[in-house]
Amino acid sequence: MQSILELRHLKTLAAIRDTGSLTRAAERLHLTQSALSHQLRQLEEHYAMPLFARKSAPLKLTPAGERLVALADGVLPQIAGTERDIAKLREGEAGSLRIAVECHTCFDWLMPAMDTFRGRWPEVELDIVSGFHADPVGLLFDDRADLAIVSDIDAEARIHFAPLFAYDMVALLANDHPLAGKAWLSAEDFRDETLITYPVPDEMLDLVRQVLKPAGVNPKRRTTELTVAMLQLVASRRGIAALPRWSVQHYLDRGYVVAKPVTENGLTARLYAAMPQERAGAAYLRDFVDIVREVSAAELPGIQLAL
Amino acid sequence: MQSILELRHLKTLAAIRDTGSLTRAAERLHLTQSALSHQLRQLEEHYAMPLFARKSAPLKLTPAGERLVALADGVLPQIAGTERDIAKLREGEAGSLRIAVECHTCFDWLMPAMDTFRGRWPEVELDIVSGFHADPVGLLFDDRADLAIVSDIDAEARIHFAPLFAYDMVALLANDHPLAGKAWLSAEDFRDETLITYPVPDEMLDLVRQVLKPAGVNPKRRTTELTVAMLQLVASRRGIAALPRWSVQHYLDRGYVVAKPVTENGLTARLYAAMPQERAGAAYLRDFVDIVREVSAAELPGIQLAL
DNA sequence: TGAAAATAATGAGTTTGAATCATAGATGCT
DNA sequence: AGCATCTATGATTCAAACTCATTATTTTCA
């Protein structure tokens, strides 16, 4: 009558607690909903107790379930810590992580991710390659950066692209803007407007690169460094901006401006971490990618981890 | 490239550290040596590092192995604690554990086992049924005890016998005793000696019940309550005693008296915990049995857990 | 040092059981 | 009510954990 409990079960329980449903937990663990249901049934049979109050959404834990989740919260970080320590033994404590960033909004999630990383890998030299570069991947080849945050994959043989997350870009308009009545905006809608952007090359603006340029639309421009300034200009009817929905959700909730999808199907931006192929196996680089995904999923509303 | 580590591996590593060999660890885990060897190889491949320094006995851990064992030491008790808590949720905190003991030497391991038990199950009423009873199992039927420590299994249908451990009984003689030259003692050797025992009925003395009585040998007796007093009498050439080897190892190491096996193959005593069948499933009773086995294996030299 | 004994590693074969697939049953939402 | 979403169940598949049989290695002891 020995224990059947394995770490697998603890990971499942923690995921269910985090996501509130078997289906979403299964997705996160790259398993099927059925697999988790079977796991749960096995545990409940073994302990001869229910672990979740069924017939309720979100799934609610029983005291026994709570106890197991508390165990998971205690144990899983210890496991992760040990595996990091072993990677350090294998690869050495040190290393460098110079991050090249091309997008302004990236700093919103990059800072907390770097904080977490610094705590876990204190010996790794952590830095941001300053300035906005038209070709951040080039910095990898020149050994001026170890990792670049990019928004598309160019088929570079020597570069490994690790998916981070995806999110919707939305166009922002003044509440009383004539286009505010439309369900979504087309490229043509931008032709006679002023486009408010960050001061970066066109190739780095998803809206321009993926929508306006292909349609031959090239509106007037106005630039600013700050997201709040862009919102201020939009609200003052000085033009239209396009930003990640998560970066402006706060202002949308307060009715400060309105958001419209770009094109009928919306405009989805995808972010990747680009690394030199031969170093992509390094534990601290892979852990950085994991941290970014964790932190972003927790802090940015409405992003998708699967892309 | 996610973790393959499971609790199974941690249990294996801890067992190897405790026993110092794959073979003994496998025995303890009720697996084959081959299974553990495969497990280890899998782990070492996954971490791309050796976990043990081969070509040495006892097996010596590498730093990575040490780290994993440290993890096991941190995690496994948490698992056990959680499973106890769940059992308490299922069966209630309370209960009673009145222990009937028939052997004097049992107190040597019973006290520390009870201490550990009290820490883990503070709500269970813990008691020793005092006095030495000729039929401790009878106390179970009368509901005057919940568990009895006995040295043999009578085929009682309503009683469950959980094996505790086995050990060798040895005869103790003064260093210059005439029989001290023999390799082992037969029943006949006792005929003209004085047998020094605890003051209990003959049925409770393994030597008498299993060796002397069958051979029709009934030597003179002298009794005392205390083990040290028995050793004192033996050393003073007042007679021969028979005690568990583990209980007198300390004195043997110091050459205070000499020990001889009884009969050519020795006299092996076996201890069992007897419980009413219908209550044998209770988590705290099963945990008590586990605690006794753990504590005894750790404190009593030369006992066997498998019997 | 060399032979015998003990222990670990290896590879093939078997079995277990964890996951998936397909589907039925619940539950919640408008 | 009825549709959409989520969970449970049973059959099936498949990976991998274990055992068995054997070889290789290490330790012990004459």
Side-chain angles (χ1 to χ4, degrees), chain A residues 22-23 33-34 38 54:
Chain A
L22 289 200
T23 309
Q33 170 270 321
S34 177
H38 282 295
R54 308 307 160 86

Side-chain angles (χ1 to χ4, degrees), chain B residues 92-97 117-118 121-127 284:
Chain B
E93 301 259 343
S96 75
L97 177 51
F117 181 87
R118 204 177 295 111
W121 301 87
E123 305 295 329
V124 171
E125 224 173 287
L126 187 58
D127 208 350
Y284 74 88

Side-chain angles (χ1 to χ4, degrees), chain B residues 191-257:
Chain B
R191 192 176 292 280
D192 302 320
E193 301 290 333
T194 299
L195 185 62
I196 303 167
T197 71
Y198 296 109
V200 296
D202 272 4
E203 314 89 73
M204 291 165 62
L205 296 168
D206 296 293
L207 174 69
V208 175
R209 197 184 62 229
Q210 291 183 47
V211 179
L212 301 187
K213 196 160 195 176
V217 174
N218 190 18
K220 289 188 293 290
R221 302 300 179 82
R222 183 157 175 183
T223 66
T224 176
E225 287 277 359
L226 295 173
T227 306
V228 279
M230 291 176 69
L231 283 156
Q232 182 60 50
L233 289 169
V234 167
S236 311
R237 294 190 295 281
R238 300 289 173 227
I240 302 180
L243 287 172
R245 180 183 288 279
W246 57 258
S247 72
V248 295
Q249 192 63 53
H250 176 85
Y251 301 98
L252 296 176
D253 292 344
R254 279 157 189 72
Y256 192 60
V257 292

